[in-house]
Amino acid sequence: MKVAFTIAKRFLTYSKGQTLAIMLGIAIGVSVQIFIGLLITGLQTGLIDKTVGNSAHIIVTQVDDEAFSVTQSGFKPVDDFTSISYAVDGALVVRVGDTSASALLRSADEGALAIYDYEEKLTAGRLPQTDDEVILGNLLAEELGVDVGDTVTLQTFTNETREVTVTGVFDLSVAAINERWMVGTPSGAQSLFGLGNNVTSIEIQVKDVFAADALALTLKDELRSGYSVVDWKSQNESLLSGLNGQSISSLMIQIFVLISVVLGIASVLAITVLQKSKQIGILKAMGINDTKASLIFLFQGLILGIFGALLGVALGVGLLVSFTTFARNPDGTALIPITFDVPFILFSAGVALVSAMVASLIPANRTRKLSPIEVIRNG
Amino acid sequence: MANIIELKNINKIYGTVVKTQVLHDVSLNIETGSFNAIIGQSGSGKSTLLNILGTLDQPTSGEILINGIPTSKMKVPQLAALRNETLGFIFQFHYLLPEFTALENVLMPVRIKGEKVTPEVLKKAHDLMDLVGLSKVKNNLATQMSGGQQQRTAIARSLMNDPKIILADEPTGNLDSDTTEQVYELMRKINKTFNTTFLIITHDRKVAEKTDRIIEIKDGRIVLDVVKN
Ligand SMILES: Nc1ncnc2c1ncn2[C@@H]1O[C@H](COP(=O)(O)OP(=O)(O)OP(=O)(O)O)[C@@H](O)[C@H]1O
Ligand SMILES: [Mg+2]
């Protein structure tokens, strides 16, 4: 064992250039794998986060869109739901002096605050606290020419009116929302629309966004009839199939990188056996047994694999760090949010290590067959 | 005295299409602790015989017994152990590992045996290097030594595991007459001190003259076998 390791180490340090070249080869393979893998994952996480981060994953409504009582619907929260908003929505007209605009009044209960993160998204003012306070989307506020502290009149389609004070302006980064949404307290919305304790929808965020469709199905079974349950996945099928295609192509790239790394190591090590056949012959004449002789090449594979993988991880992480540092949005946030997925990095390094070992099996096996007499005779 | 090596009717034929018989029915007994020379013209089959003796090559037919055990009955790992512990080789062309220093080459048989390089072992290696007159170059890489120095390193290496038998194929082929003299004195000394059996191929009549027994090979046959007293 020890002698095989000593010889393997010496063979590698003796031809430094060649050793470095193989290590670099492995390192580039590993770093490409880490870089592409994490980049694609980051890209997808970013996309999914943009799609579902600040929106409901599952929405429950009545089929006829009427308001309903939560208790009568049969709805029960489960652990998989991270946020639940019992929402009260209604369309109305907002007036300020001569200007008016149509808007959607939404309620902000605890769940809605968690889902839409209004507090964070406020560009001015504070959240509404009483029934005659609201916050508006920034585009709506602009259209109406109102600001924090102004009073506006809300008029429903059943001609109910109410004066409310604007306590804040938000920006949810979606123009359609910023143009139309107005957010008040649940009780304020319920009394304005005359809904009593009823709600118009239940909006839910779940722990595992990809389980939303399954959870929606279970939920639908539990509800009384006449309710519709919609999940984000069924509404974003083209996005999901796009992401899936991306994952597959990323996997293909990784597999081909891996294959080329394995072939590279195998061929270089096969050449080393030829280069070192004289030495192997001498060692065999001195009585090294075949197992130890082949261990020399396995150890070379191991050493090359370890250092190649380490170098590759350093290179890959370095690439990602510089990528996140330089590829930024105008507002300074990362263009693609990359998480340094340690298990994935370790996996890539491990795969490289294993492939280096596997690649060295071929030359190791060839040493076994080498007979010392061929070397002795051919001087 | 007991025979450490016995060769029985060894034939060696090279090639499968064009067959050349290099050894013809060679039988030979070597006594434990004897100091033997093998002489003969170039191409007569000396190296072939020695390589077969050393289990590096297989005879086409015939039997080799080392310490009374037929080598044909030994498995590959046993043969390797035999080469490591019982046999010491000095080849016609010096065969050192170029990646290692002279001293490391000398220590290699111990490492292959799987033993630790203890201070005693190290001292022995240094002593052997001194013995072959290489104190000054022992930390040179094998490639940074002259041919004669490499040859002497190979001699020191062959002695490292205290083998029972040393098989030397023209060990002094590259050396000047003074050094040749010293190397023979050295081998003689080892032979006397440790009762090591020597089988030395040489072209040098003068050298052969100093051994206990001269075996002459001609065209793959033993034509002369003189034992001196
Ligand atoms: N692999 C081989 N195939 C065919 N013939 C071989 C082979 N090896 C050696 N021979 C032949 O066997 C004969 C004996 O060779 P060997 O090396 O034993 O000679 P030698 O007595 O050691 O000669 P020298 O003194 O020159 O070293 C030679 O005629 C040689 O050509
Ligand atoms: Mg010869």
Coordinates of all heavy atoms in Angstrom, one line a residue, chain B residues 43 46-48 92 169-170 201, ligand 2:
Chain B
G43 N 25.3 -14.0 -27.2 CA 24.2 -14.7 -27.9 C 24.1 -16.2 -27.6 O 23.3 -16.9 -28.1
K46 N 23.2 -17.0 -22.1 CA 23.5 -16.7 -20.7 C 22.4 -16.0 -20.0 O 21.9 -16.4 -18.9 CB 24.9 -16.0 -20.5 CG 26.0 -16.6 -21.2 CD 27.3 -15.9 -20.9 CE 27.4 -14.4 -21.5 NZ 27.3 -14.4 -23.0
S47 N 22.0 -14.8 -20.6 CA 21.0 -14.0 -20.0 C 19.7 -14.7 -19.9 O 19.0 -14.7 -18.9 CB 20.8 -12.7 -20.8 OG 22.0 -11.9 -20.7
T48 N 19.4 -15.5 -21.0 CA 18.2 -16.3 -21.0 C 18.1 -17.2 -19.8 O 17.1 -17.3 -19.1 CB 18.1 -17.0 -22.3 OG1 18.2 -16.1 -23.4 CG2 16.7 -17.7 -22.5
Q92 N 22.1 -6.8 -16.7 CA 23.1 -6.5 -17.7 C 23.1 -5.0 -18.0 O 24.1 -4.3 -18.1 CB 22.9 -7.2 -19.0 CG 24.0 -7.0 -20.0 CD 23.9 -8.1 -21.1 OE1 22.9 -8.9 -21.2 NE2 24.9 -8.2 -21.9
D169 N 24.0 -10.2 -14.0 CA 24.3 -10.3 -15.5 C 25.3 -9.2 -15.9 O 24.9 -8.1 -16.0 CB 22.9 -10.2 -16.2 CG 23.0 -10.6 -17.7 OD1 24.2 -10.8 -18.1 OD2 22.0 -10.9 -18.3
E170 N 26.5 -9.6 -16.0 CA 27.6 -8.7 -16.3 C 27.5 -7.4 -15.4 O 27.4 -6.3 -15.9 CB 27.6 -8.3 -17.8 CG 27.8 -9.6 -18.6 CD 28.1 -9.2 -20.1 OE1 28.9 -8.4 -20.3 OE2 27.4 -9.9 -20.9
I201 N 27.2 -13.7 -14.5 CA 27.6 -13.8 -15.9 C 28.7 -12.8 -16.2 O 28.6 -11.6 -15.7 CB 26.4 -13.4 -16.8 CG1 25.3 -14.5 -16.6 CG2 26.8 -13.4 -18.3 CD1 24.0 -14.2 -17.4
Ligands
MG2 MG 23.2 -11.2 -21.9

